[in-house]
Amino acid sequence: MNIDLSHGGKLLVVDLDLTVLCGDDYDGRWLSERSERAFDAARKAGNVVMVATARPPLTAFDLVHRIGASACAYHNGGVVDLDCVHSSVQEVADNSNVGNPNILRFGVSVARCVEICKSLLEQMPDLRMGIEYDDTRYMNFDLHEVWPNQQYTRTDFSDLREGMADKIMMFPTDLQKERLKSLLPKDMSLLISEDVLWLLMNPKATKLNAMREACRHFDISMNDTIAFGDDLIDIDMLQHAGCGVAVANAKPEVKAIVNELCPSNNDDGVAQWVEAHL
């Protein structure tokens, strides 16, 4: 596709893990200086940069600001910040803060999440799972088994206060996956990230919905969006963007539906693509 970023007016929507960030280990991934320069050049040319990530504000906020993003979809679109420049991490992370019209929330009540968790555990007592809200992960197992350096709070789901949650997190074993699918509630959407993390979320909490909200906010046509991703969770966003771009390390299903490919995350592929179109 013949895309010219030098004239501005485009919305660039970028996934973080295994797309923009370098490194394969979750806790050790980093944003390269080359990527920072490329996004800075894109912004100066008059384009809008948006991040769309599964990460919560706790681990994504600093990266979003280093990228210089004007908007960010945290929790895969569970929280959409349309004014990153002026928002604080506390303001974005606190689901009880509903006074800012530029922060959109598509969550699920903690009471409903607790109900779902207890129901699933009655059927599958060994299921590793938790609820994330207010930038805290409440887990029924040692999360360090999966993410050694991530903070969490241990719970049996009987001690959680009322509020609005971002998502239910599950880490099923290969032997649990088929049965778990048959038990999932119909009022929630299932998203699978990196073949390890299963998420149950509000059906409106998607990267695609977040991209549409950003287009409305910044008055940019969906035809003028460029989305970058690697995982199955990115497919809807990539398919509906004006141009979908997959990194070379993306899953085969993702590569099959995009308009263009760029080098891998560890080769700064997104930065290379941006540089070539400025």
Side-chain angles (χ1 to χ4, degrees):
M1 299 177 69
N2 185 19
I3 296 173
D4 186 356
L5 298 179
S6 65
H7 295 313
K10 305 290 186 183
L11 175 68
L12 281 66
V13 187
V14 296
D15 171 53
L16 290 180
D17 290 283
L18 300 179
T19 298
V20 169
L21 300 184
C22 299
D24 299 320
D25 179 66
Y26 182 87
D27 288 322
R29 292 171 186 163
W30 72 93
L31 179 71
S32 72
E33 293 183 1
R34 183 175 185 176
S35 290
E36 290 188 57
R37 291 194 300 269
F39 291 127
D40 184 55
R43 289 196 316 275
K44 288 179 177 177
N47 304 286
V48 177
V49 177
M50 177 180 186
V51 169
T53 178
R55 291 187 179 226
L58 179 68
T59 60
F61 190 84
D62 289 344
L63 293 166
V64 170
H65 282 258
R66 285 179 57 196
I67 286 172
S70 297
C72 180
Y74 299 97
H75 302 292
N76 286 310
V79 178
V80 182
D81 184 0
L82 298 172
D83 188 16
C84 291
V85 175
H86 299 103
S87 301
S88 67
V89 64
Q90 293 83 6
E91 190 175 20
V92 178
D94 183 0
N95 280 329
S96 66
N97 188 334
V98 295
N100 189 333
N102 291 321
I103 299 177
L104 311 178
R105 302 185 188 278
F106 303 98
V108 182
S109 72
V110 172
R112 175 59 178 146
C113 290
V114 168
E115 180 183 27
I116 292 170
C117 288
K118 289 184 176 181
S119 175
L120 290 174
L121 288 170
E122 285 180 2
Q123 304 294 320
M124 304 180 67
D126 296 330
L127 180 62
R128 299 179 301 174
M129 65 188 312
I131 300 171
E132 185 165 337
Y133 66 105
D134 292 346
D135 236 8
T136 302
R137 296 171 175 133
Y138 297 91
M139 313 301 297
N140 72 341
F141 75 106
D142 183 359
L143 186 61
H144 294 159
E145 296 173 8
V146 183
W147 294 330
N149 299 315
Q150 295 299 303
Q151 297 179 354
Y152 74 101
T153 297
R154 195 72 174 258
T155 185
D156 63 358
F157 305 113
S158 65
D159 56 349
L160 302 187
R161 61 180 174 79
E162 295 182 1
M164 189 65 66
D166 298 298
K167 58 196 174 190
I168 294 173
M169 308 170 66
M170 302 176 291
F171 296 86
T173 65
D174 287 341
L175 293 177
Q176 291 175 325
K177 290 178 179 178
E178 285 305 314
R179 186 172 185 223
L180 179 57
K181 282 185 180 179
S182 71
L183 298 173
L184 297 179
K186 303 299 183 184
D187 61 327
M188 303 281 278
S189 289
L190 172 66
L191 301 174
I192 300 175
S193 179
E194 298 186 30
D195 293 328
V196 175
L197 173 60
W198 287 33
L199 307 172
L200 287 179
M201 303 183 69
N202 183 322
K204 292 184 178 179
T206 67
K207 293 184 180 183
L208 172 59
N209 185 54
M211 183 168 66
R212 286 174 171 156
E213 293 288 354
C215 283
R216 282 192 283 269
H217 182 80
F218 296 106
D219 194 23
I220 295 175
S221 166
M222 283 286 286
N223 291 331
D224 290 323
T225 59
I226 304 155
F228 301 85
D230 72 282
D231 205 353
L232 303 181
I233 211 167
D234 302 320
I235 284 180
D236 280 352
M237 174 181 72
L238 294 167
Q239 284 182 315
H240 288 84
C243 178
V245 184
V247 285
N249 54 288
K251 295 188 179 302
E253 300 94 325
V254 177
K255 293 180 182 179
I257 57 91
V258 294
N259 303 104
E260 297 190 10
L261 296 173
C262 68
S264 73
N265 63 315
N266 289 330
D267 292 321
D268 287 326
V270 174
Q272 289 194 51
W273 193 97
V274 171
E275 292 165 355
H277 291 82
L278 280 170

